[in-house]
Amino acid sequence: MVKKINTLVIGAGQAGLAASEHLSNHNIDHLVLEKDRIVERWRTSRWDSLVANGPAWHDRFPTLEFSELNPDSFATKNRVVKYFEEFAKKINAPVIENINVLQVEKYAENRFFIKTSDGEFEAKNIICATGAFQVPVIPSIIPEDSNILQMHSQFYKNPEQLKKGAVLVVGSGSSGSQIAEELNRVNKEVYFSIGPHDRPPRRYRGKDNVWWLGVLGKWEAKTPKPGTQHVTIAVSGYDGGKTIDFRKFAHNGITLLGMTKKFENGKLYFEDDLKTNIENGDKNYLNLLDEADEYIKKNNLSFPEEPEARDFISDHSCITKPFLELDLEELGITSVIWATGYKHDFNWMKVDVIDNEGKPIHKNGVAKTPGIYFLGLPWLSMRGSSFIWGVWKDAKYVVEHIANR
């Protein structure tokens, strides 16, 4: 028997739960289908010591605070899972767990047919809330049949997983940065391949960087600046939240490298771009300080001075004279962690809303085919779209579009 519903939400992560709240607010009949459990990625696709990258006052939905947490603290992975469980209960979200969507197709005007692992559905609207972290990407550089243990950051949990010996971490975003630092703290010999990145201050003149991004209008930016589409952000809430500084990494014993290029005859080769990448990260950092100072001056705010924020320690020799090749066996490198991002997987979507590169075709989450919507993707409508508060805002827009159809 085919179950009929007005709106079917696919995915019960932060995007799906945000959509459910807004759908309930509009009295729109809906179900949320989740192939695993609520916020499964937070449960099983993050390392043990992970904390949120933003403070508790910011990384949440507007309608539920983190109880018992200091608003300026950073929630642990387990606390984030508990938060979303509390939220789902609070809004009485109609979630069906352990049901996999196998296919969505259009079969009549304004109607879609959905085949799942546990029956069939018919819906007027589909909200694809499967998020940005679908299929982990590992570049085809080191052969799979080598003696090197290779894993994506999605599957890294703790240092005990790794082989005895040195580790190479590839990817200078938040994941790669935090994992490299964790391994260094347990006295692993760490090599760290760094690509283009933004490096915001954790805090400046008494305010967290997420506050500055808000008042400076950067969260609301509609598109990335030209040439920065593939630039990652190195930021961390670990250990109370500190600015990530790759120079300090080097002085603490981590060997920094440029972007990983190729593997031949047991050797890894790297681009000669390490110093450039670090200096461009500095420019991003200093530009934000300049804009913050100007904002304070313009608004006559009495914020504490922080001139030391502009002081950098000297470049380590691994930055001024970086290695361009490494013999993995000679250096005892036995493990490689690829913090190299994800790609989309919409193979189950049989409606013409996906381009030739597998990316959704939409405007602010509204697909070209009426009745299909997307949530939780980076830059869906703005820079903040893939963050918890941002996806809630996008969900509000999408559901209002559904309500007005």
Side-chain angles (χ1 to χ4, degrees), residues 10 15 128-134 344 346 375-378:
I10 302 173
C128 306
T130 50
F133 304 109
Q134 295 175 20
H344 301 306
F346 291 105
L375 281 176
L377 303 177

Side-chain angles (χ1 to χ4, degrees), residues 85-105:
E85 290 175 337
E86 291 171 350
F87 182 81
K89 184 176 180 180
K90 173 180 179 289
I91 67 171
N92 196 26
V95 178
I96 303 176
E97 296 181 316
N98 300 307
I99 180 170
N100 193 20
V101 173
L102 305 175
Q103 184 169 299
V104 173
E105 62 181 359

